[in-house]
Amino acid sequence: MWTLSEQFPPIPMILVGILTFLALDWSLQGLAGGEQELVLTWRVIPGGLSVTLLAFILRVYDELKDADNDRRLAAAGDTRYMDRPIVTGAITEGDLQTARWLTSGALLLCALSLGLKALLVFCAVYLVFWLSFKWYFWPKIQQSLFLALLTHNPLTLVVELYVVAMFWVLAPVPGPAWALGLLLLGLWLPLTAWETSRKIRLPEMETDYETYSKIFGWKGAAIVPAVLVLISLGCLVGFALAAKVPGSGGPVLYGFLGLGALVAVGGSLRLLLKPSPAATKLRPFMEAYSFATQAGLCVAWGVARGVSLQTGALPWDPTLWSL
């Protein structure tokens, strides 16, 4: 079976899923206004697991779609692909298909526990994900890294909308709509920055593998993630101002965002000023900013409003199964 610890370490990814869920859920509670404490219920478990499992099934889809290409690149001498599990035989397409269907079943169970509205939205989300597995029935996407980015990266935004739907099961989604849009965009762009940061090489490092440095040039490719981070920073600051994060919550959030952005932009600047193979590895810098956005929102709202543990509506509650 697939070596999860190498490709998708379960404990860290589950924690990231829960953090992502809480960042959105508590931000929506905060945007709704009022002075009551934030509510934390059992729903964080299926909610966080859903986020994690959706990310995992995308990983499985990518492995299945890229299997032949990975073997081709490894055979051509690309050192980044010689040790991949699908190349070495540590996993097979059969293992991946098993993981795919087990994950789909677990996602369905999570959706069933969250109510009718969440289940309906989940079906729509799963359909979109399945279409991405088929390259949206447009073979040209498979041959273009840029088209793959344009068509597949918005799937992260789809996951965010699914979390919003989980909130909508219990209460109206708060406005204004533009503030919610800033929140979603601000949390989506760091993952876009992460994606573009993974495939940057200096000219002497390039192989047959398509990279963003081939598309934008290595200097342009170094700048793209930094620009995305700065746009995200502006969006989240705008959201915080619209939501009027009370008390010391605002400064806490701005501190997290500012420090995370400084790290991410610093990584890009290091590559521009002192280019080296080590400096092309921008992924950890973008991960640091992504973590800062999610943790910052959770901590800031927790500090500003406090947190109340409640049971909440259980899966068999009739209110969860009405439109």
Side-chain angles (χ1 to χ4, degrees), residues 47-316:
L49 281 177
S50 293
V51 174
T52 302
L53 291 170
L54 285 169
F56 178 65
I57 204 167
L58 282 181
R59 179 71 260 168
V60 173
Y61 282 177
D62 284 348
E63 291 290 329
L64 284 167
K65 290 187 291 186
D66 295 339
D68 290 338
N69 193 48
D70 288 353
R71 294 189 183 102
R72 180 183 64 81
L73 289 166
D78 193 320
T79 56
R80 296 194 183 193
Y81 287 84
M82 290 179 178
D83 294 329
R84 290 183 69 86
I86 197 71
V87 174
T88 62
I91 60 171
T92 66
E93 279 91 339
D95 295 332
L96 293 170
Q97 289 290 359
T98 300
R100 173 190 178 189
W101 293 116
L102 287 175
T103 305
S104 298
L107 278 165
L108 180 59
L109 289 176
C110 288
L112 283 169
S113 72
L114 293 167
L116 181 58
K117 291 178 181 177
L119 178 61
L120 294 175
V121 175
F122 165 74
C123 291
V125 169
Y126 191 83
L127 175 61
V128 173
F129 274 48
W130 178 81
L131 289 172
S132 78
F133 180 51
K134 301 292 183 179
W135 296 104
Y136 297 102
F137 298 99
W138 189 18
K140 190 174 180 180
I141 295 175
Q142 189 175 7
Q143 303 161 10
S144 170
L145 182 62
F146 189 64
L147 283 177
L149 177 70
L150 292 179
T151 55
H152 286 61
N153 193 251
L155 292 172
T156 305
L157 187 58
V158 172
V159 175
E160 292 180 6
L161 291 172
Y162 180 43
V163 177
V164 173
M166 297 179 206
F167 183 93
W168 171 55
V169 169
L170 300 175
V173 177
W178 61 267
L180 176 59
L182 287 177
L183 172 65
L184 297 177
L185 189 61
L187 290 175
W188 171 41
L189 288 176
L191 297 174
T192 311
W194 175 85
E195 174 59 32
T196 56
S197 72
R198 295 191 308 120
K199 300 175 181 179
I200 299 175
R201 300 182 182 182
L202 297 175
E204 62 271 19
M205 299 167 60
E206 297 285 12
T207 64
D208 291 341
Y209 183 62
E210 189 174 10
T211 61
Y212 291 107
S213 43
K214 283 187 177 181
I215 298 173
F216 302 116
W218 74 266
K219 291 183 179 180
I223 293 171
V224 168
V227 171
L228 292 171
V229 163
L230 292 176
I231 296 174
S232 166
L233 176 65
C235 289
L236 291 175
V237 169
F239 166 78
L241 293 173
K244 300 177 181 177
V245 183
S248 57
V252 168
L253 178 57
Y254 300 142
F256 268 88
L257 294 177
L259 182 59
L262 184 63
V263 169
V265 174
S268 290
L269 288 176
R270 183 184 71 151
L271 174 56
L272 287 170
L273 297 175
K274 293 185 177 181
S276 69
T280 63
K281 298 177 181 179
L282 296 180
R283 174 176 164 178
F285 297 92
M286 304 307 147
E287 288 174 347
Y289 175 69
S290 182
F291 174 79
T293 62
Q294 297 165 345
L297 285 166
C298 291
V299 174
W301 283 115
V303 168
R305 295 266 293 271
V307 180
S308 173
L309 295 175
Q310 298 182 18
T311 303
L314 297 172
W316 51 84

